[in-house]
Amino acid sequence: MNFSNLFKIAYQAILRNKTRSLLTMLGIIIGISSVIAMVSLGQSSSQNINDQISTMGTNLIMVSRAYQRKGGINMGNSNSQSLTVKDVELIKANCKNVAMISPSVSTSGQLVRGANNWPGTMQGGSPEYIEIRKYELERGTNFTENDIKEFRKVCIVGTTVVENLFDDGTDPIGQEIRFGNTPFKIIGVLASKGQNQMGQDQDDIVIAPYSTVMKRLLATQYLHMIYISAVSEDACDKAVEEITSTLMSSHKLKETDTPDFEVRTQAELLTMMNSVSGFLTVLLAAIASISLIVGGIGIMNIMYVTVTERTKEIGLRTAIGARSRDIMFQFLLESAMLSLVGGAIGIIFGLLLSYVISMALNWPFIISVSSVVISFVVCAATGIFFGWYPAKKAANLDPITALRYE
């Protein structure tokens, strides 16, 4: 029997039981759509992380206080006193691969303007802080080195702060707000930057001279972090070596000593985030693929039922000359068709689901061609694998016994 006749017989057999065929394909549809959606969203998430980190600058280097340990217990780094303004000056003087540098201190508190108040974060930095962190001034001016020397109470605010403190439409430039009990004059407003890869609102920020924050708000001589911009992305590794060497010397540490600071680059952060995202994508895709196995078992179950229902037909076809391999191929073809049609529908649903979720989360929509191709191949393999045993059973039926079957 030729392939076209076998295809027609398999097609008619599927159409005779439309509802049953659709329910059989449902497991495959759910499995394939889930796998494609998970892989696509995983790649979209990774791309979103890359884009977000790129907005912070690919040549960004962060120096932070090291975690303290006492008796083998990690005490955190909130009380660590290892970074000073002197360190910043030494890095600026000795590290030729450093383009810009800014001390950084921060504290949280209540922002107040008249009857309005808002819980915010006061970030202390140098005039270079805005450029290093890839912020842009929408209007107004940046503070100056003179503001830092004189501990002036001036600040630049993000759009979230403006929306919550100046909801009456007043121009914030030149207006005064209080951070706790300390008044600050607004001299600039930042352009909106949105959320970062951690979901934090980057516009919910107030930036002031680091000297003012250290003296008037924190009463400390120590920095929380140092933000550095290397001369180029390629120079980051050299800059890290220079920074590490300078700080080890400044802190009078030997090569065998454990540093009381940590130096990290955006490349390290990007690698870590992509590693986590990739692991979660594989995990979710593996969980979603379980429904493919369930769908395959459903196909096997239905093919068993089909073989039982058509036992007499099998006997009749065998009696008039159909070979065992023709019978086996017919049922294998039916199984593969159920799997492939279900897979095609699943691919469409998976792509639509990925698109809808990506748009809802404002992530880039990425189609993983490899996942679509692999899913289609898996569908064919599933149909053949789970349809083989019922098909073999049909092919091995004794024609006389089959003809007598009621």
Side-chain angles (χ1 to χ4, degrees):
M1 186 176 290
N2 58 38
F3 178 80
S4 61
N5 285 335
L6 289 174
F7 182 83
K8 288 178 183 178
I9 293 171
Y11 178 72
Q12 291 169 357
I14 292 173
L15 286 184
R16 275 199 301 267
N17 298 283
K18 296 185 183 68
T19 302
R20 187 170 72 183
S21 298
L22 180 61
L23 291 174
T24 303
M25 291 186 291
L26 195 57
I28 298 295
I29 293 172
I30 293 173
I32 292 296
S33 59
S34 299
V35 170
I36 289 177
M38 289 302 101
V39 172
S40 177
L41 290 174
Q43 292 183 340
S44 297
S45 174
S46 295
Q47 184 61 49
N48 183 59
I49 290 170
N50 292 344
D51 294 342
Q52 289 283 350
I53 290 178
S54 295
T55 62
M56 295 170 63
T58 53
N59 57 342
L60 177 65
I61 300 171
M62 295 160 287
V63 182
S64 60
R65 303 171 295 183
Y67 286 85
Q68 293 180 322
R69 291 182 179 274
K70 290 184 179 180
I73 300 174
N74 194 328
M75 305 298 291
N77 66 353
S78 59
N79 296 319
S80 177
Q81 297 177 342
S82 59
L83 300 178
T84 64
V85 176
K86 180 184 175 182
D87 292 330
V88 174
E89 294 170 352
L90 287 171
I91 292 172
K92 190 183 296 186
N94 299 328
C95 302
K96 63 180 181 180
N97 286 293
V98 169
M100 292 181 290
I101 185 169
S102 172
S104 176
V105 286
S106 62
T107 182
S108 299
Q110 203 72 11
L111 295 165
V112 181
R113 183 239 171 190
N116 294 338
N117 64 86
W118 180 252
T121 300
M122 178 70 74
Q123 182 72 53
S126 70
E128 292 82 11
Y129 179 86
I130 291 176
E131 190 173 351
I132 293 173
R133 295 303 308 274
K134 300 301 179 182
Y135 281 102
E136 293 181 6
L137 273 173
E138 186 177 81
R139 57 188 188 276
T141 59
N142 195 359
F143 50 84
T144 64
E145 288 293 340
N146 198 42
D147 293 326
I148 292 174
K149 290 176 183 177
E150 297 184 5
F151 309 100
R152 287 179 181 166
K153 293 176 284 188
V154 294
C155 67
I156 301 168
V157 296
T159 54
T160 299
V161 176
V162 173
E163 290 168 0
N164 286 278
L165 295 185
F166 297 88
D167 54 357
D168 56 359
T170 302
D171 186 356
I173 303 296
Q175 298 295 317
E176 191 175 271
I177 60 174
R178 283 187 294 111
F179 186 83
N181 296 319
T182 307
F184 282 84
K185 181 182 177 181
I186 298 175
I187 61 172
V189 176
L190 298 170
S192 179
K193 202 174 180 182
Q195 293 184 339
N196 63 12
Q197 68 272 15
M198 301 296 186
Q200 296 175 324
D201 185 2
Q202 298 180 94
D203 301 323
D204 188 8
I205 190 172
V206 179
I207 305 174
Y210 70 86
S211 58
T212 306
V213 177
M214 291 173 70
K215 181 178 180 179
R216 300 185 185 276
L217 299 180
L218 295 174
T220 182
Q221 297 179 348
Y222 297 96
L223 302 174
H224 294 162
M225 290 189 71
I226 301 173
Y227 286 101
I228 300 166
S229 180
V231 292
S232 68
E233 185 178 353
D234 295 334
C236 277
D237 290 340
K238 292 181 180 178
V240 168
E241 291 177 6
E242 293 172 349
I243 293 164
T244 303
S245 176
T246 299
L247 291 178
M248 292 288 285
S249 175
S250 172
H251 296 184
K252 297 180 173 56
L253 297 173
K254 301 176 182 178
E255 291 185 3
T256 55
D257 294 335
T258 301
D260 56 359
F261 59 89
E262 293 179 352
V263 183
R264 292 174 295 162
T265 66
Q266 288 293 71
E268 293 172 353
L269 179 61
L270 185 61
T271 301
M272 180 188 70
M273 295 296 290
N274 281 338
S275 176
V276 173
S277 178
F279 173 76
L280 290 176
T281 300
V282 172
L283 179 63
L284 291 173
I287 294 172
S289 64
I290 293 174
S291 58
L292 274 177
I293 299 174
V294 175
I297 293 172
I299 288 177
M300 178 183 284
N301 183 46
I302 290 301
M303 293 310 298
Y304 266 123
V305 174
T306 301
V307 169
T308 303
E309 288 179 345
R310 294 161 62 186
T311 300
K312 198 163 188 176
E313 175 194 329
I314 294 168
L316 182 61
R317 290 186 58 205
T318 305
I320 60 176
R323 294 166 296 183
S324 293
R325 66 179 184 181
D326 293 329
I327 301 296
M328 184 173 183
F329 191 68
Q330 175 194 335
F331 284 94
L332 268 179
L333 189 59
E334 286 184 32
S335 175
M337 285 176 65
L338 284 171
S339 185
L340 288 174
V341 172
I345 297 172
I347 289 171
I348 295 171
F349 271 106
L351 294 175
L352 286 174
L353 184 62
S354 302
Y355 177 78
V356 170
I357 297 177
S358 296
M359 293 302 102
L361 296 175
N362 199 27
W363 287 357
F365 174 55
I366 300 176
I367 298 175
S368 174
V369 177
S370 60
S371 69
V372 173
V373 173
I374 291 172
S375 296
F376 204 75
V377 172
V378 168
C379 281
T382 300
I384 294 171
F385 179 79
F386 286 100
W388 176 80
Y389 193 77
K392 186 173 182 297
K393 179 184 177 183
N396 292 337
L397 282 175
D398 180 64
I400 297 175
T401 304
L403 284 170
R404 290 176 178 174
Y405 183 82
E406 295 295 338

